[in-house]
Amino acid sequence: MVEDESAIAELIAINLRHAGFEVTVAADADQAQAAVDRVLPDLVLLDWMLPGQSGVVLAKRWRGDARTREMPVIMLTARAEEADKITGLDAGADDYLTKPFSTKELMARIRAVLRRKAPEALDTAVDVAGLKLDPATRRVTRNVGQGPREVKLGPTEFRLLHFLMTHPERVHSRAQLLDRVWGDHVFIEERTVDVHIKRLREALAPVQCSGLIETVRGAGYRLTQSIGSVAA
Ligand code: CA
């Protein structure tokens, strides 16, 4: 959350943490940029009026950078003029909330934007080619032979599979996976991704799903939804 008024920032942060989110508060554009450089967040709440560089300028800069282009942004502002909303949305905001707003509305909008752009941040169960992943129970199962069989995964493989299943058919580079799954694109080597992809495929073999994860040469990895190409 990027908000210079500490009372508002604290109130929103308390509500978000209560709802299960991890929150980092930045008081200006520089702090926000530094935080995003460290860890790519699932979503940014961005105040329009900030000391120094404005939220609109910051949003535009993020949209122009390949690493942050897809990062969900909800703009918060005291301005209610339609022209301002258009400016905010044109700058690349995914949604727009005018102060004062209720916590309920903020949560609903956060969930709506996450559903669209970062469903791996929500606890919604996913099903691809009969492979079921439930973030709430942290269980992965698929019906093979007699009935459902559970896939045993380590925490990193679970997060990796969750991300791939919620963004199927798209090619993800190793750097993108480090950002979105590990939250660290600086200190972890790209080879680490290959190691965990290998473990994930091995874990999926007993339920005939290793073939779901495709290697795209020179580009990265992709999870396919087509059952035809699924084979152990
Ligand atoms: Ca402000």
Side-chain angles (χ1 to χ4, degrees), residues 11 84 218:
L11 187 66
D84 292 330

Side-chain angles (χ1 to χ4, degrees), residues 89-131:
L89 295 169
D90 276 350
D94 295 288
D95 203 354
Y96 193 105
L97 220 56
T98 305
K99 296 176 191 171
F101 48 80
S102 73
T103 303
K104 261 188 175 169
E105 183 176 10
L106 174 64
M107 294 300 163
R109 289 190 187 240
I110 287 174
R111 281 195 299 272
V113 171
L114 288 177
R115 262 199 303 279
R116 206 165 72 235
K117 295 190 83 180
E120 77 280 6
L122 295 168
D123 266 357
T124 314
V126 220
D127 184 329
V128 174
L131 184 69

Side-chain angles (χ1 to χ4, degrees), residues 51-62:
Q53 201 172 54
S54 79
V56 172
V57 174
L58 190 55
K60 273 190 184 150
R61 196 207 299 165
W62 283 336

